[in-house]
Every structure is written in C-alpha cells, then in structure tokens.
Amino acid sequence: MLWLVVSLGVLIGVVGFGAIYQTLATRRDRRRFLPPGKLIAIDGNHWHYQVMGEGLPTVILDSGAGGTHIDWQLVQPEVAKFTRVLTYDRAGYGWSDFSSEPRTAEQIVRELRQLLREIEIEPPYVLVGMSLGGLFSRLFAYHYPEEVAGMVLVDVAHERMYEETPAEWVELNKRLEGLLVHVLPIMGHIGLLRLLVTFDVLPMAAGLFQKFPPALRPLAKAIYSQTQFGKAFAQESAAVSASINQVEQVRKTNSFPDIPLIALSSGEPDFDITQEVLEKLQELHGDLASELPQGVHTIVHNSGHAIQLDQPESVIAAIRQVVEKVRCSSIT
C-alpha cells in the first residue's frame, strides 16, 4: 500500500512540476517571440495576420491542421514580389486567441471572411489551401464563388479520402486522431507536448521541424509548444468529420466557380502516409483538377506532405501561374 501512495505522490509531483514549467516556458516564449504581423480584435478575440506585397488578386494562404502563418515563410515573401499575399493564424494557433466555437469548415470560413472584411482586404482572392486547409478553401469557393478568382490546392485533404484509402490505414488514423483529441490538451498543460516538440517526435508529424530552415526552428517549436496549441489541434481534429460532411453537402447544391485551379500532390510518402495511400490521394487530387476546364494536377517529386516547406518553389510557381491567368482574364 505504501508503494502505491509513494508512486501516486511522485506522479502528482511530476505532473505539477510539468504544469508549472509549461506556464513559465509559455510566458517566456511570448516575450521572446513577438508577432511578426498585426493583431486585430474581432468579437472580443485577437486574430493575428500578416500582409505583404501589393496588387490584385490577393492571395490568401491557409494552413493544414495545426499549421500557422510560419508554415508559409518560404512562400509568402516570394509571392509578395508579384502580388499582395496574406497569412493568418486560425483560432488557438500562433498569436490568435483560442475560441470555444467548434472548428468546423463552416466556422473557419465565416471567421476568415470576417477577418478579411475587418482589415479591408477586398476580393478577388486566390485561395491557397494546404492539407485540411484545402477543405476550407473549397468550401469558401462554393459559398462565395463571386469572390474567388483562382485556387491552389497543396496536398489537400479530400472528402472521400476515408472512403478511397485502405481500411487499415483509415482505422489507424482515426484511432490516433481520437487519442489526440482527448490526450493532447492534457499533454499541453503538463509540458509533455513541449517535450515531444523539443525532440521533434510529435505523433503523426515526426520530423516536422527538420523541414523548417534552421533560423525558423526555434520559433516553430515555440508556437507548437504553447498550451493553447494542444487544445486548438484537438478541437480541429474533432471537427474533421463535420467539415467533410459540410463540403459533401454543399457540393450537392452549389456549383464550383470556373476558375484556374492547380492541385499539387506530394510525390514522396512521409509522416504516417504509405505509398498506397499516397497514390490514392494523388488520384483524388487529380479528380479535383479534372472537374474544372482550367484545372491542372501536378505531382511534386522529392516532396513529402508539406510541399510548402520541402519544395516551396513549386508552390510559388503554381501561385504565380494562377495569378497571371486571373490577371489575363480580367483584362479580356
């Protein structure tokens, strides 16, 4: 009985120490890394965004699950050389406040449009969605086709990805996502998430920080180590099925705009993606492009899932191509 009491006492002590360390470390990171963009208060919450460059159409960069504006730091400055480009942190990520609203695609599209109105960024937009952000970009276009002039999809999630990929991968993926939904917020509070980030062994994203340039790694690790990151990622993961359903439903009633669209697929499996799953996702990306007269599908070889970090020049070139097509169509 004594060993049980001692063990429990040690566990409580370790957890308590971890929670205190996490609080202090998060405060230290906030002082060390100031927001590179601007903060704006909308309905009581602060949102972080960064605008570079000039000209139309405005390019809007949207990250995958857990991603922030920093994911685009190899892309945004280059795009800013030929047009205006915006990155932002969704609720709970980076320097944006946490939100208790469900993180569904519909909610995220509403928040993005509200942000764009508040900071007076007018359409037309070229939407660039990466991974889960591709669902958000496509839903935006279904709802507001008159505002979207072009699109680039970067190795995006697809509403049929769980139907088309091997059942064993789907089951494993959903189990891990379910575990993260319940465990990740706790890990964030007690400093365990910070430990995993430090050693770059995040579940479902091991080796992620090696993809960032060395100068950006301390900032990236600080952002992913925040207490609110675990909560926000769990929220978004819990809403994936709802977001997929929302895209499926709107496809039944709304038409997608006839716009230039480039879908980029990763050419190499990484993280938890197998070769078989990779090929299925490439097919789905090809289908998205083939649905539009101006759609183009490109496989980016020597790149894993995070093409904007592995092969940023491919993303920049795709954005430039779409921007130029939009400008040509506006002249004619």
Side-chain angles (χ1 to χ4, degrees):
M1 186 64 180
L2 179 61
W3 69 267
L4 182 59
V5 174
V6 172
S7 299
L8 183 59
V10 171
L11 178 61
I12 292 173
V14 170
V15 170
F17 174 80
I20 294 171
Y21 174 72
Q22 172 63 17
T23 300
L24 296 176
T26 299
R27 291 176 181 173
R28 177 202 64 197
D29 290 342
R30 287 289 187 177
R31 293 192 299 270
R32 181 183 177 192
F33 299 107
L34 299 177
K38 296 181 179 180
L39 295 175
I40 185 171
I42 301 176
D43 295 337
N45 286 333
H46 288 92
W47 297 84
H48 175 251
Y49 69 96
Q50 188 175 31
V51 178
M52 295 182 182
E54 297 180 352
L56 294 176
T58 300
V59 174
I60 312 295
L61 303 174
D62 214 339
S63 303
T68 69
H69 75 284
I70 196 175
D71 292 5
W72 301 100
Q73 291 310 296
L74 298 179
V75 172
Q76 186 177 17
E78 296 303 313
V79 174
K81 293 177 181 179
F82 56 86
T83 197
R84 182 168 59 179
V85 54
L86 175 143
T87 56
Y88 75 110
D89 295 330
R90 295 196 297 271
Y93 295 138
W95 285 272
S96 291
D97 289 343
F98 180 81
S99 172
S100 59
E101 296 289 340
R103 311 314 303 156
T104 65
E106 292 279 3
Q107 178 66 26
I108 288 167
V109 168
R110 281 195 294 270
E111 291 170 350
L112 175 56
R113 286 194 80 241
Q114 189 172 10
L115 172 65
L116 293 172
R117 288 198 301 270
E118 291 290 338
I119 63 178
E120 299 181 345
I121 301 291
E122 301 292 335
Y125 308 125
V126 169
L127 301 182
V128 181
M130 186 269 165
S131 193
L132 183 64
L135 288 178
F136 309 151
S137 296
R138 289 173 55 222
L139 187 67
F140 192 117
Y142 275 118
H143 281 319
Y144 310 103
E146 70 284 356
E147 298 182 7
V148 181
M151 186 171 294
V152 177
L153 301 174
V154 183
D155 212 43
V156 294
H158 192 284
E159 59 272 22
R160 296 205 313 273
M161 63 183 180
Y162 291 144
E163 300 172 18
E164 301 290 336
T165 49
E168 59 272 17
W169 178 80
V170 173
E171 182 65 23
L172 178 63
N173 203 50
K174 288 189 173 183
R175 283 184 180 180
L176 186 52
E177 284 183 356
L179 181 65
L180 292 178
V181 165
H182 295 97
V183 175
L184 205 59
I186 299 173
M187 292 169 60
H189 278 291
I190 66 175
L192 183 55
L193 176 61
R194 182 176 293 273
L195 184 65
L196 296 177
V197 167
T198 299
F199 292 100
D200 200 1
V201 290
L202 273 176
M204 301 176 70
L208 171 65
F209 298 103
Q210 292 301 313
K211 294 177 179 289
F212 287 94
L216 287 178
R217 287 172 195 168
L219 172 58
K221 288 188 174 184
I223 287 175
Y224 278 77
S225 297
Q226 293 179 26
T227 304
Q228 71 174 22
F229 170 82
K231 294 168 60 181
F233 187 86
Q235 267 190 325
E236 233 172 50
S237 297
V240 168
S241 293
S243 295
I244 286 174
N245 289 335
Q246 289 168 354
V247 173
E248 287 178 331
Q249 291 302 312
V250 77
R251 288 188 68 177
K252 297 176 182 178
T253 57
N254 296 20
S255 298
F256 201 82
D258 181 9
I259 56 175
L261 179 148
I262 297 178
L264 301 177
S265 295
S266 61
E268 303 291 338
D270 64 352
F271 300 147
D272 65 331
I273 301 296
T274 65
Q275 183 65 34
E276 184 179 7
V277 172
L278 177 71
E279 291 173 0
K280 285 293 184 181
L281 292 175
Q282 290 172 348
E283 290 178 13
L284 292 172
H285 299 156
D287 289 342
L288 288 176
S290 65
E291 290 176 357
L292 297 177
Q294 302 181 70
V296 176
H297 178 224
T298 301
I299 296 177
V300 183
H301 299 287
N302 300 318
S303 176
H305 182 51
I307 302 175
Q308 76 279 10
L309 296 174
D310 289 340
Q311 298 288 342
E313 63 279 1
S314 296
V315 179
I316 296 164
I319 295 172
R320 182 190 296 273
Q321 184 176 340
V322 170
V323 167
E324 289 175 352
K325 285 186 177 181
V326 171
R327 287 174 174 169
C328 287
S329 64
S330 65
I331 293 175
T332 57

